[in-house]
Amino acid sequence: MGTCDNEREHCERVKAAKESMPSEEKITEMGARFKVISEPSRLKILLALSGGELCVEHITEAVGGNQSAVSHQLKILKDNKIVKGRRDGKNVLYSVSDWHVLTMIGVAKEHLDCNE
């Protein structure tokens, strides 16, 4: 009788897992988003922008890179709709456009300090 109960419980869990599973398209999109933000130089840029808008020069200074490399990484982040830019005179100020990304990064940072 215990085995039957366990099997029923497991079947219900499998059914619930299937029902809550995003589509293959959404899973692919999620994986692509993780891939974009997991690259260390892009992650540094996002961490720098977590405090608010910055121009390329200030981002470069904050992350310790060179302007060409930072601009390249910003383009990738913009193409993936993770950051956005707005013109302010001669400068473009960049900011995070998808705050969910900062939430994920924040959880990852907290997890680094977890002793469990």
Side-chain angles (χ1 to χ4, degrees):
M1 191 166 178
T3 304
C4 266
D5 289 341
N6 270 347
E7 184 144 345
R8 189 172 319 141
E9 182 180 333
H10 287 245
C11 287
E12 288 174 11
R13 288 182 186 172
V14 169
K15 181 181 176 190
K18 283 181 174 182
E19 288 172 355
S20 68
M21 188 72 60
S23 69
E24 288 297 322
E25 181 180 292
K26 291 286 185 185
I27 289 172
T28 299
E29 189 177 329
M30 288 167 55
R33 184 69 51 101
F34 280 122
K35 185 176 180 180
V36 169
I37 66 172
S38 69
E39 197 282 325
S41 59
R42 291 191 286 263
L43 187 54
K44 281 182 170 181
I45 290 169
L46 291 169
L47 288 164
L49 291 174
S50 68
E53 290 182 318
L54 292 171
C55 67
V56 173
E57 181 182 340
H58 292 137
I59 295 169
T60 301
E61 186 178 330
V63 302
N66 69 59
Q67 190 164 343
S68 175
V70 168
S71 292
H72 175 72
Q73 299 304 336
L74 280 167
K75 180 180 179 343
I76 293 169
L77 290 166
K78 278 180 65 178
D79 289 348
N80 284 276
K81 298 176 178 58
I82 296 171
V83 300
K84 61 185 174 184
R86 75 171 180 87
R87 193 154 288 286
D88 183 31
K90 292 182 179 182
N91 288 321
V92 175
L93 295 176
Y94 292 92
S95 62
V96 176
S97 61
D98 184 349
W99 288 97
H100 295 102
V101 170
L102 290 182
T103 300
M104 292 187 300
I105 292 170
V107 169
K109 278 175 57 179
E110 286 177 26
H111 184 68
L112 290 174
D113 296 330
C114 183
N115 293 326
E116 295 178 31

